[in-house]
Amino acid sequence: MITLAIETSCDDTAAAVLNDDKILSNVVSSQIEGLSFGGIVPELASRSHMTQLLPVVQNALEKAEINKRELDLVAVTHAPGLIGSLLVGVNFAKAMAFGLHIPVIGVHHIEAHMLAAFIESPQLTFPFIALIVSGGHTQLTLAKALGEYQILGETADDAAGECYDKVARILNLSSDGNSIMAGPVIDKLAQMGNPDFFSFPRPMIKSNDFHFSFSGLKTAVLNFVQKENRTFSEQEISDICASFQEAVSDVLSEKTIRACRNLGISNVVLCGGVAANSRLRSVLKEKCRSFQIELSIPSPKYCTDNAAMIGITGYKKYSAGSRSNWGLGAISSLTIEKAVI
Ligand code: KG4
Ligand code: ZN
C-alpha cells in the first residue's frame, strides 16, 4: 500500500511517501525564516503552508519515484494544532484523495509522534509508556494498544519545548538567525558546558504523581540571570545551558522510569521535538539500561515535526480498519485519548 502523508499542524510543511511501513521519502520545508524563537504567527504559518504544500508534496513524490496515480491512501494531520494551518493540509489531502478516487485518513499529531517509534523499531510491542515532549505537549502516556491511550500525567504549565524556547530568549540566544527553534541551539551550547555550574530546581521530581511543571524552572533561570546582572562569557552561557538541560533531563527521565516501575511496564518510547535532545536521550538511555527497560527513540528527523510519522500512523490505523469520511475536519485541540477515528 502506497501512502502519501501530509503534516501542516504548526509551522513546518511536510510530506512523505511510504510503501506499507517503509519510508520512501520524507520532506520537511522549514519554518518561515527570520523570526526569533517562539515567534510563530498563525496567519503567516497558514499562508506559508498554502504556497509550500504543493511543491513539498511534488518533491516527496519525486524522491520516492512514485507517480500520484500509484497512491492508495492519503494520511493527513487533522488535530491538534493551529486551526488555519491544519485546514490547509486537511483540505489539500481531501481534494487530492477525492480526485484520485482513494481514501483519506485523519491522523492525531501527538499519536503520530508516539507511533514514529515504529519506523525504526518495528519490533516494538504494546503496552508501552511514551514520554511525549514537544513544543506544546509534555505527557506521560500509557499506550495499551493502537488507538487506546491513557494519559498518566502532563504539564501543569509550560511544555518542555516551550521552556527551552523561553530560556533561550532569557539568555538572548535568539540572535542566531538560522533557526527559530531554541532546543537545538541550547543542546549544542550545553555540550560545551558544565552541568554542575548551577543547581537549578527539578520541579515536581519527588511528587507522587506523573505530572510536570516547567514554569518554575524557567523562572529560576530568569532569577539567576537577573540576580547576577552582568554580561556572561560564552563559557558561562554554555554552563547555564548545560545546568538547565540537566534539570529538564533529570525530571523527565526520573518520572518516566517511575511510571514504568509503578505500572510494571518494560517498554518506553521517547518522542516529540524535545526527544531530539542529546542529553535527554543519553540520560534516559542510561536509566532504562539500569532498570532493564527497553527504550525506543526515533532518529532526530523523526522526533521533530515530520510527515513520515503521519504516514506510519495513517497506514497502521487504516490497516486496523479505521476510516475517515469526506467530512473530515480540522480540530485545534483534541486529547490523545480521543485519537480514535
Ligand atoms: O514536536 P515538535 O517538532 O513540534 C511540536 O509539535 O511542538 O517540537 C518542537 C519543540 C521546540 O520547542 C524545540 O525547541 C524543541 O522541540 N526541540 C528541542 C530539540 N530539537 C527540537 N529541544 C531540545 N533539544 C533539541 N535538540
Ligand atoms: Zn509536533
Coordinates of all heavy atoms in Angstrom, one line a residue, residues 38-132:
G38 N 10.0 31.0 19.1 CA 8.7 31.1 19.6 C 7.8 32.1 18.9 O 6.7 32.3 19.2
G39 N 8.4 32.6 17.8 CA 7.7 33.7 17.1 C 6.8 33.2 16.0 O 6.8 33.8 14.9
I40 N 5.9 32.2 16.2 CA 5.1 31.8 15.1 C 3.8 32.7 15.1 O 3.1 32.9 16.1 CB 4.6 30.3 15.4 CG1 5.8 29.4 15.4 CG2 3.6 29.9 14.3 CD1 5.5 28.0 15.9
V41 N 3.6 33.2 13.9 CA 2.3 34.0 13.7 C 1.4 33.1 12.9 O 1.7 32.7 11.8 CB 2.6 35.3 12.9 CG1 1.4 36.1 12.7 CG2 3.7 36.1 13.6
P42 N 0.3 32.7 13.5 CA -0.6 31.7 12.9 C -1.0 32.0 11.5 O -0.9 31.1 10.6 CB -1.8 31.6 13.8 CG -1.3 32.0 15.2 CD -0.2 33.0 14.9
E43 N -1.4 33.2 11.2 CA -1.8 33.6 9.9 C -0.7 33.5 8.9 O -0.9 33.0 7.8 CB -2.3 35.1 9.9 CG -2.8 35.6 8.6 CD -4.0 34.9 8.0 OE1 -4.7 34.1 8.7 OE2 -4.2 35.0 6.8
L44 N 0.5 33.8 9.3 CA 1.7 33.7 8.3 C 2.0 32.2 8.1 O 2.4 31.8 7.0 CB 2.9 34.4 8.9 CG 2.8 35.9 9.0 CD1 4.2 36.5 9.5 CD2 2.5 36.5 7.6
A45 N 1.8 31.4 9.2 CA 2.1 30.0 9.0 C 1.1 29.4 8.0 O 1.5 28.6 7.1 CB 2.0 29.3 10.4
S46 N -0.2 29.7 8.1 CA -1.1 29.2 7.2 C -0.8 29.6 5.7 O -0.9 28.8 4.8 CB -2.6 29.6 7.4 OG -2.8 29.8 8.8
R47 N -0.5 30.9 5.6 CA -0.1 31.3 4.2 C 1.1 30.6 3.6 O 1.2 30.3 2.5 CB 0.1 32.9 4.2 CG -1.2 33.6 4.3 CD -0.9 35.1 4.7 NE -2.2 35.7 5.1 CZ -2.7 36.7 4.4 NH1 -2.1 37.2 3.3 NH2 -3.8 37.3 4.8
S48 N 2.0 30.4 4.5 CA 3.2 29.7 4.1 C 2.9 28.3 3.7 O 3.4 27.8 2.6 CB 4.3 29.7 5.2 OG 5.3 28.8 5.0
H49 N 2.0 27.6 4.4 CA 1.6 26.2 4.0 C 1.0 26.3 2.6 O 1.2 25.4 1.8 CB 0.6 25.6 5.0 CG 1.2 25.3 6.3 ND1 2.4 24.5 6.4 CD2 0.9 25.6 7.6 CE1 2.6 24.3 7.7 NE2 1.8 25.0 8.4
M50 N 0.2 27.3 2.4 CA -0.5 27.4 1.1 C 0.4 27.4 -0.1 O 0.2 26.9 -1.1 CB -1.5 28.6 1.1 CG -2.8 28.3 1.9 SD -3.8 29.7 2.0 CE -4.3 30.0 0.3
T51 N 1.5 28.2 0.1 CA 2.5 28.2 -1.0 C 3.4 27.0 -1.0 O 3.9 26.6 -2.1 CB 3.3 29.6 -1.0 OG1 3.9 29.7 0.3 CG2 2.4 30.8 -1.2
Q52 N 3.7 26.5 0.1 CA 4.7 25.4 0.2 C 4.2 24.0 -0.1 O 4.9 23.1 -0.5 CB 5.4 25.4 1.5 CG 6.0 26.7 2.0 CD 7.4 26.6 2.3 OE1 8.1 25.8 1.7 NE2 7.9 27.5 3.2
L53 N 2.9 23.8 0.2 CA 2.4 22.4 0.3 C 2.6 21.7 -1.1 O 3.1 20.5 -1.1 CB 1.0 22.4 0.8 CG 0.5 21.0 1.1 CD1 1.4 20.1 2.0 CD2 -0.9 21.0 1.8
L54 N 2.1 22.3 -2.1 CA 2.2 21.6 -3.4 C 3.6 21.3 -3.8 O 3.9 20.1 -4.1 CB 1.5 22.5 -4.5 CG 1.3 21.8 -5.9 CD1 0.6 20.5 -5.8 CD2 0.6 22.8 -6.8
P55 N 4.6 22.2 -3.8 CA 5.9 21.8 -4.1 C 6.5 20.8 -3.2 O 7.3 19.9 -3.6 CB 6.7 23.1 -4.1 CG 5.8 24.2 -3.6 CD 4.4 23.7 -3.7
V56 N 6.1 20.8 -1.9 CA 6.7 19.8 -1.0 C 6.1 18.4 -1.3 O 6.9 17.4 -1.3 CB 6.3 20.2 0.5 CG1 6.5 19.1 1.5 CG2 7.2 21.4 0.9
V57 N 4.8 18.4 -1.6 CA 4.2 17.1 -2.0 C 4.9 16.5 -3.3 O 5.2 15.4 -3.4 CB 2.7 17.2 -2.1 CG1 2.1 16.0 -2.9 CG2 2.0 17.4 -0.8
Q58 N 5.0 17.4 -4.3 CA 5.7 17.0 -5.5 C 7.1 16.5 -5.3 O 7.5 15.5 -5.8 CB 5.7 18.2 -6.5 CG 4.4 18.3 -7.3 CD 4.2 19.6 -8.0 OE1 4.9 20.6 -7.7 NE2 3.3 19.6 -9.0
N59 N 7.8 17.2 -4.5 CA 9.2 16.8 -4.1 C 9.2 15.4 -3.5 O 10.0 14.6 -3.8 CB 9.7 17.9 -3.2 CG 11.2 17.8 -3.0 OD1 11.8 16.8 -3.5 ND2 11.8 18.7 -2.2
A60 N 8.2 15.2 -2.5 CA 8.2 13.9 -1.8 C 7.9 12.8 -2.8 O 8.5 11.7 -2.7 CB 7.1 13.9 -0.7
L61 N 6.9 13.0 -3.8 CA 6.6 12.0 -4.8 C 7.8 11.7 -5.7 O 8.1 10.6 -5.9 CB 5.4 12.5 -5.6 CG 4.0 12.5 -4.9 CD1 3.0 13.2 -5.7 CD2 3.6 11.0 -4.6
E62 N 8.5 12.8 -6.1 CA 9.7 12.6 -7.0 C 10.8 11.8 -6.3 O 11.3 10.9 -6.8 CB 10.2 14.0 -7.4 CG 9.6 14.5 -8.6 CD 9.9 16.0 -8.8 OE1 10.9 16.5 -8.3 OE2 9.0 16.7 -9.3
K63 N 11.0 12.2 -5.0 CA 12.1 11.5 -4.3 C 11.8 10.0 -4.1 O 12.6 9.2 -4.1 CB 12.3 12.1 -2.9 CG 13.1 13.4 -3.0 CD 13.7 13.8 -1.7 CE 14.7 14.9 -1.8 NZ 14.6 16.0 -0.8
A64 N 10.5 9.7 -3.9 CA 10.1 8.3 -3.7 C 9.9 7.6 -5.1 O 9.7 6.4 -5.1 CB 8.7 8.3 -3.0
E65 N 10.0 8.4 -6.2 CA 9.8 7.8 -7.5 C 8.5 7.1 -7.6 O 8.3 6.0 -8.1 CB 11.0 6.8 -7.9 CG 12.3 7.5 -7.9 CD 13.5 6.6 -8.3 OE1 13.2 5.5 -8.7 OE2 14.6 7.1 -8.3
I66 N 7.5 7.9 -7.2 CA 6.1 7.4 -7.2 C 5.3 8.4 -8.0 O 5.4 9.6 -7.7 CB 5.6 7.2 -5.7 CG1 6.2 6.1 -5.0 CG2 4.0 7.1 -5.7 CD1 5.8 4.7 -5.4
N67 N 4.4 7.9 -8.9 CA 3.5 8.8 -9.6 C 2.2 8.9 -8.7 O 1.9 7.9 -8.1 CB 3.2 8.1 -10.9 CG 2.3 9.0 -11.8 OD1 1.1 9.2 -11.5 ND2 2.9 9.6 -12.8
K68 N 1.6 10.0 -8.8 CA 0.4 10.2 -7.9 C -0.7 9.1 -8.2 O -1.4 8.7 -7.3 CB -0.1 11.6 -7.9 CG -0.7 12.1 -9.2 CD -1.2 13.5 -9.1 CE -1.9 14.0 -10.3 NZ -1.1 14.3 -11.4
R69 N -0.7 8.6 -9.4 CA -1.7 7.6 -9.7 C -1.4 6.2 -9.0 O -2.3 5.4 -9.0 CB -1.8 7.3 -11.2 CG -2.0 8.6 -12.0 CD -3.3 8.7 -12.8 NE -3.6 10.1 -13.2 CZ -4.6 10.8 -12.7 NH1 -5.5 10.2 -11.9 NH2 -4.8 12.0 -13.0
E70 N -0.2 6.1 -8.5 CA 0.1 4.9 -7.8 C -0.3 4.9 -6.3 O -0.1 3.9 -5.6 CB 1.6 4.6 -7.9 CG 2.2 4.3 -9.3 CD 3.7 4.3 -9.3 OE1 4.2 3.2 -9.0 OE2 4.3 5.3 -9.6
L71 N -0.7 6.1 -5.9 CA -1.1 6.2 -4.4 C -2.3 5.4 -4.1 O -3.3 5.3 -4.9 CB -1.3 7.7 -4.1 CG -0.1 8.6 -4.2 CD1 -0.5 10.1 -3.9 CD2 1.0 8.2 -3.2
D72 N -2.4 4.8 -2.9 CA -3.5 4.1 -2.4 C -4.2 4.8 -1.2 O -5.4 4.5 -0.9 CB -3.1 2.7 -1.8 CG -2.4 1.9 -2.9 OD1 -3.0 1.6 -4.0 OD2 -1.2 1.5 -2.7
L73 N -3.5 5.7 -0.6 CA -4.1 6.3 0.6 C -3.4 7.7 0.9 O -2.2 7.9 0.6 CB -3.8 5.4 1.9 CG -4.2 5.9 3.3 CD1 -5.7 6.0 3.4 CD2 -3.6 5.0 4.3
V74 N -4.2 8.7 1.4 CA -3.6 10.0 1.8 C -3.9 10.1 3.3 O -5.0 10.0 3.7 CB -4.2 11.2 1.0 CG1 -3.6 12.5 1.5 CG2 -4.1 11.0 -0.5
A75 N -2.8 10.2 4.1 CA -2.9 10.4 5.5 C -2.6 11.9 5.8 O -1.6 12.4 5.2 CB -2.0 9.5 6.2
V76 N -3.4 12.5 6.7 CA -3.1 13.9 7.0 C -3.4 14.2 8.5 O -4.3 13.7 9.1 CB -4.0 14.8 6.1 CG1 -5.5 14.6 6.3 CG2 -3.7 16.3 6.3
T77 N -2.5 15.1 9.0 CA -2.8 15.6 10.4 C -4.1 16.4 10.4 O -4.2 17.4 9.7 CB -1.6 16.5 10.9 OG1 -0.4 15.9 10.6 CG2 -1.8 16.8 12.4
H78 N -5.0 16.0 11.3 CA -6.3 16.8 11.4 C -6.4 17.4 12.8 O -7.3 18.2 13.0 CB -7.5 15.9 11.0 CG -8.0 15.0 12.1 ND1 -9.2 15.2 12.7 CD2 -7.4 14.0 12.7 CE1 -9.3 14.2 13.6 NE2 -8.2 13.5 13.6
A79 N -5.6 17.0 13.7 CA -5.6 17.5 15.1 C -4.4 17.1 15.9 O -3.8 16.1 15.5 CB -6.9 17.0 15.8
P80 N -4.1 17.8 16.9 CA -4.4 19.2 17.2 C -3.4 20.1 16.6 O -2.4 19.6 16.0 CB -4.2 19.2 18.8 CG -3.1 18.2 19.1 CD -3.2 17.1 18.0
G81 N -3.6 21.4 16.6 CA -2.6 22.3 16.0 C -3.3 23.6 15.7 O -4.3 23.9 16.2
L82 N -2.5 24.5 14.9 CA -3.1 25.8 14.6 C -4.2 25.5 13.5 O -4.0 24.9 12.5 CB -2.0 26.6 13.9 CG -0.8 26.9 14.8 CD1 0.3 27.6 14.0 CD2 -1.1 27.8 16.0
I83 N -5.4 26.1 13.8 CA -6.5 25.7 13.0 C -6.3 26.1 11.5 O -6.7 25.3 10.6 CB -7.8 26.3 13.6 CG1 -9.1 25.6 13.0 CG2 -7.9 27.8 13.5 CD1 -9.3 24.2 13.4
G84 N -5.8 27.2 11.2 CA -5.6 27.6 9.8 C -4.7 26.7 9.1 O -4.9 26.3 8.0
S85 N -3.6 26.4 9.8 CA -2.6 25.5 9.3 C -3.1 24.1 9.0 O -2.9 23.5 7.9 CB -1.4 25.4 10.2 OG -0.8 26.7 10.3
L86 N -3.9 23.6 10.0 CA -4.5 22.3 9.8 C -5.4 22.3 8.6 O -5.4 21.3 7.8 CB -5.3 21.9 11.1 CG -4.5 21.5 12.3 CD1 -5.4 21.4 13.5 CD2 -3.7 20.2 12.1
L87 N -6.2 23.3 8.5 CA -7.2 23.4 7.4 C -6.6 23.3 6.0 O -7.1 22.7 5.1 CB -8.0 24.7 7.5 CG -9.2 24.6 8.5 CD1 -9.7 26.0 8.8 CD2 -10.3 23.7 8.0
V88 N -5.4 23.9 5.9 CA -4.7 23.9 4.6 C -4.4 22.4 4.3 O -4.7 21.9 3.2 CB -3.4 24.7 4.6 CG1 -2.6 24.6 3.3 CG2 -3.7 26.2 4.9
G89 N -3.8 21.7 5.2 CA -3.4 20.3 5.0 C -4.6 19.4 4.8 O -4.6 18.6 3.8
V90 N -5.6 19.5 5.6 CA -6.8 18.7 5.5 C -7.5 18.9 4.2 O -7.9 17.9 3.5 CB -7.7 18.9 6.7 CG1 -9.1 18.2 6.5 CG2 -7.1 18.4 8.0
N91 N -7.7 20.1 3.8 CA -8.4 20.3 2.5 C -7.6 19.9 1.3 O -8.2 19.3 0.4 CB -8.9 21.8 2.4 CG -10.0 22.0 3.3 OD1 -11.0 21.3 3.3 ND2 -9.9 23.0 4.2
F92 N -6.3 20.1 1.4 CA -5.4 19.6 0.3 C -5.5 18.1 0.2 O -5.7 17.6 -0.9 CB -4.0 20.1 0.6 CG -3.0 19.7 -0.5 CD1 -2.6 20.7 -1.4 CD2 -2.5 18.4 -0.7 CE1 -1.7 20.4 -2.4 CE2 -1.6 18.1 -1.7 CZ -1.2 19.1 -2.6
A93 N -5.4 17.4 1.3 CA -5.5 16.0 1.3 C -6.8 15.4 0.8 O -6.8 14.5 0.1 CB -5.2 15.5 2.8
K94 N -7.9 16.1 1.3 CA -9.2 15.6 0.8 C -9.4 15.7 -0.7 O -9.8 14.8 -1.4 CB -10.3 16.3 1.6 CG -10.4 15.8 3.0 CD -11.8 16.1 3.6 CE -12.1 17.6 3.8 NZ -13.3 17.8 4.6
A95 N -8.9 16.9 -1.2 CA -9.1 17.2 -2.6 C -8.3 16.2 -3.4 O -8.7 15.7 -4.4 CB -8.7 18.6 -2.9
M96 N -7.1 16.0 -3.0 CA -6.2 15.1 -3.7 C -6.7 13.6 -3.7 O -6.8 13.0 -4.7 CB -4.8 15.1 -3.1 CG -3.8 14.4 -3.9 SD -2.1 15.0 -3.6 CE -1.2 13.9 -4.6
A97 N -7.2 13.2 -2.5 CA -7.7 11.8 -2.4 C -9.0 11.7 -3.2 O -9.2 10.7 -3.9 CB -8.0 11.5 -0.9
F98 N -9.8 12.7 -3.2 CA -11.1 12.7 -3.9 C -10.8 12.6 -5.4 O -11.4 11.8 -6.1 CB -11.9 13.9 -3.6 CG -13.3 13.9 -4.1 CD1 -14.3 13.1 -3.4 CD2 -13.7 14.5 -5.3 CE1 -15.6 13.1 -3.9 CE2 -15.0 14.5 -5.7 CZ -16.0 13.8 -5.0
G99 N -9.9 13.4 -5.9 CA -9.5 13.4 -7.3 C -8.9 12.1 -7.8 O -9.1 11.7 -8.9
L100 N -8.2 11.5 -6.9 CA -7.6 10.2 -7.3 C -8.4 9.0 -6.9 O -8.0 7.8 -7.2 CB -6.2 10.1 -6.5 CG -5.1 11.1 -6.9 CD1 -4.0 11.0 -5.9 CD2 -4.6 10.8 -8.3
H101 N -9.6 9.2 -6.4 CA -10.5 8.1 -6.0 C -9.9 7.1 -5.0 O -10.0 5.9 -5.2 CB -11.0 7.3 -7.3 CG -11.6 8.2 -8.3 ND1 -12.9 8.8 -8.1 CD2 -11.1 8.6 -9.5 CE1 -13.1 9.5 -9.2 NE2 -12.1 9.5 -10.0
I102 N -9.2 7.7 -4.0 CA -8.6 6.9 -3.0 C -9.0 7.4 -1.6 O -9.5 8.6 -1.5 CB -7.0 6.9 -3.1 CG1 -6.4 8.3 -3.0 CG2 -6.6 6.1 -4.3 CD1 -4.9 8.3 -3.0
P103 N -8.9 6.6 -0.6 CA -9.4 7.1 0.8 C -8.4 8.1 1.4 O -7.2 8.1 1.1 CB -9.4 5.9 1.6 CG -8.6 4.8 0.9 CD -8.5 5.2 -0.5
V104 N -9.0 8.9 2.3 CA -8.1 9.8 3.1 C -8.3 9.4 4.6 O -9.4 8.9 5.0 CB -8.6 11.3 2.9 CG1 -10.0 11.6 3.4 CG2 -7.6 12.3 3.6
I105 N -7.3 9.6 5.4 CA -7.4 9.2 6.8 C -6.8 10.3 7.6 O -5.7 10.8 7.4 CB -6.8 7.8 7.1 CG1 -7.1 7.5 8.6 CG2 -5.3 7.8 6.9 CD1 -7.1 6.0 8.9
G106 N -7.6 10.8 8.6 CA -7.1 11.9 9.5 C -6.2 11.3 10.7 O -6.6 10.2 11.2
V107 N -5.1 11.9 11.0 CA -4.2 11.4 12.0 C -4.0 12.5 13.1 O -4.0 13.7 12.8 CB -2.8 11.1 11.3 CG1 -1.8 10.8 12.3 CG2 -3.0 10.0 10.3
H108 N -4.0 12.0 14.3 CA -3.7 12.8 15.5 C -2.2 13.1 15.6 O -1.4 12.1 15.7 CB -4.2 12.1 16.7 CG -4.3 12.9 18.0 ND1 -3.1 13.2 18.7 CD2 -5.3 13.6 18.6 CE1 -3.5 14.0 19.7 NE2 -4.8 14.2 19.7
H109 N -1.8 14.3 15.6 CA -0.4 14.7 15.6 C 0.4 14.1 16.8 O 1.5 13.6 16.5 CB -0.3 16.2 15.7 CG 1.1 16.8 15.6 ND1 1.8 17.0 14.4 CD2 1.9 17.1 16.6 CE1 2.9 17.5 14.7 NE2 3.1 17.6 16.0
I110 N -0.1 14.1 18.0 CA 0.6 13.6 19.1 C 0.7 12.0 19.1 O 1.7 11.4 19.4 CB 0.0 14.1 20.4 CG1 -0.1 15.6 20.5 CG2 0.7 13.5 21.6 CD1 1.3 16.3 20.3
E111 N -0.4 11.4 18.6 CA -0.3 10.0 18.5 C 0.8 9.6 17.4 O 1.5 8.6 17.6 CB -1.7 9.4 18.0 CG -1.7 7.9 17.7 CD -3.1 7.4 17.1 OE1 -3.8 8.2 16.5 OE2 -3.3 6.2 17.3
A112 N 0.9 10.4 16.4 CA 1.9 10.2 15.4 C 3.3 10.3 15.9 O 4.2 9.6 15.6 CB 1.6 11.1 14.2
H113 N 3.5 11.4 16.8 CA 4.8 11.5 17.4 C 5.2 10.2 18.1 O 6.3 9.7 18.0 CB 4.8 12.6 18.4 CG 5.2 14.0 17.9 ND1 6.4 14.2 17.3 CD2 4.6 15.2 17.9 CE1 6.5 15.4 16.9 NE2 5.4 16.1 17.2
M114 N 4.2 9.6 18.8 CA 4.4 8.4 19.6 C 4.7 7.2 18.6 O 5.6 6.4 18.8 CB 3.2 8.2 20.4 CG 3.3 7.2 21.5 SD 1.9 7.4 22.6 CE 0.6 6.7 21.6
L115 N 3.9 7.0 17.6 CA 4.0 5.9 16.7 C 5.2 6.0 15.8 O 5.5 5.0 15.1 CB 2.7 5.6 16.0 CG 1.4 5.4 16.9 CD1 0.2 4.9 16.0 CD2 1.7 4.4 18.0
A116 N 5.8 7.2 15.7 CA 7.0 7.3 14.9 C 8.1 6.3 15.4 O 8.9 5.9 14.6 CB 7.6 8.8 15.1
A117 N 8.0 5.8 16.6 CA 8.9 4.9 17.1 C 8.9 3.6 16.3 O 9.9 2.9 16.2 CB 8.6 4.5 18.6
F118 N 7.8 3.3 15.7 CA 7.7 2.0 14.9 C 8.5 2.1 13.6 O 8.7 1.1 13.0 CB 6.2 1.7 14.6 CG 5.5 1.1 15.8 CD1 4.6 1.9 16.5 CD2 5.6 -0.2 16.1 CE1 3.9 1.4 17.6 CE2 4.9 -0.7 17.2 CZ 4.1 0.1 18.0
I119 N 8.8 3.3 13.1 CA 9.5 3.5 11.9 C 10.9 2.7 12.0 O 11.2 1.9 11.1 CB 9.8 4.9 11.5 CG1 8.5 5.7 11.3 CG2 10.7 5.1 10.3 CD1 8.6 7.2 11.1
E120 N 11.6 2.9 13.1 CA 12.9 2.3 13.2 C 12.9 1.1 14.2 O 13.9 0.4 14.3 CB 13.9 3.4 13.6 CG 14.2 4.3 12.4 CD 14.7 5.7 12.9 OE1 14.1 6.2 13.9 OE2 15.7 6.1 12.4
S121 N 11.8 1.0 14.9 CA 11.7 -0.2 15.9 C 10.5 -1.0 15.6 O 9.5 -1.0 16.4 CB 11.7 0.4 17.3 OG 12.8 1.2 17.6
P122 N 10.4 -1.6 14.4 CA 9.2 -2.4 14.1 C 8.9 -3.5 15.1 O 7.7 -3.9 15.1 CB 9.5 -2.9 12.7 CG 10.9 -2.8 12.5 CD 11.5 -1.8 13.4
Q123 N 9.8 -3.9 15.9 CA 9.6 -5.0 16.8 C 8.9 -4.5 18.1 O 8.5 -5.3 18.9 CB 11.0 -5.7 17.2 CG 11.9 -4.9 18.2 CD 12.5 -3.7 17.6 OE1 12.4 -3.4 16.4 NE2 13.1 -2.9 18.5
L124 N 8.8 -3.2 18.2 CA 8.1 -2.6 19.4 C 6.7 -3.1 19.6 O 6.0 -3.3 18.6 CB 8.1 -1.0 19.3 CG 7.3 -0.2 20.3 CD1 8.1 -0.3 21.6 CD2 7.1 1.2 19.9
T125 N 6.4 -3.5 20.9 CA 5.0 -4.0 21.1 C 4.3 -3.2 22.2 O 4.9 -2.6 23.1 CB 5.1 -5.5 21.6 OG1 6.0 -5.6 22.6 CG2 5.5 -6.4 20.4
F126 N 3.0 -3.2 22.1 CA 2.2 -2.6 23.2 C 2.1 -3.6 24.3 O 2.3 -4.8 24.1 CB 0.7 -2.4 22.7 CG 0.6 -1.3 21.6 CD1 0.5 -1.7 20.2 CD2 0.6 0.0 21.9 CE1 0.4 -0.7 19.3 CE2 0.5 1.0 21.0 CZ 0.4 0.6 19.6
P127 N 2.0 -3.2 25.6 CA 1.8 -1.9 26.0 C 3.2 -1.2 26.2 O 4.2 -1.9 26.4 CB 1.2 -2.0 27.4 CG 1.7 -3.3 27.9 CD 1.9 -4.2 26.7
F128 N 3.2 0.1 26.0 CA 4.5 0.8 26.4 C 4.1 2.2 27.0 O 2.9 2.6 26.9 CB 5.4 1.0 25.1 CG 4.8 1.7 24.0 CD1 4.7 3.1 23.9 CD2 4.3 1.0 22.9 CE1 4.1 3.7 22.8 CE2 3.8 1.6 21.7 CZ 3.7 3.0 21.7
I129 N 5.1 2.8 27.6 CA 4.9 4.1 28.2 C 5.6 5.1 27.3 O 6.8 4.9 26.9 CB 5.4 4.2 29.6 CG1 4.3 3.5 30.5 CG2 5.6 5.7 30.1 CD1 4.6 3.5 31.9
A130 N 4.9 6.2 26.9 CA 5.5 7.1 26.0 C 5.7 8.4 26.7 O 4.8 9.0 27.4 CB 4.6 7.4 24.8
L131 N 6.9 8.9 26.7 CA 7.2 10.3 27.1 C 7.2 11.2 25.9 O 8.0 11.1 25.0 CB 8.6 10.3 27.8 CG 9.1 11.8 28.2 CD1 8.1 12.5 29.2 CD2 10.5 11.7 28.7
I132 N 6.1 12.0 25.8 CA 5.9 12.8 24.6 C 6.3 14.2 25.0 O 5.6 14.9 25.8 CB 4.4 12.7 24.2 CG1 4.0 11.3 24.0 CG2 4.2 13.5 22.9 CD1 2.5 11.1 23.9

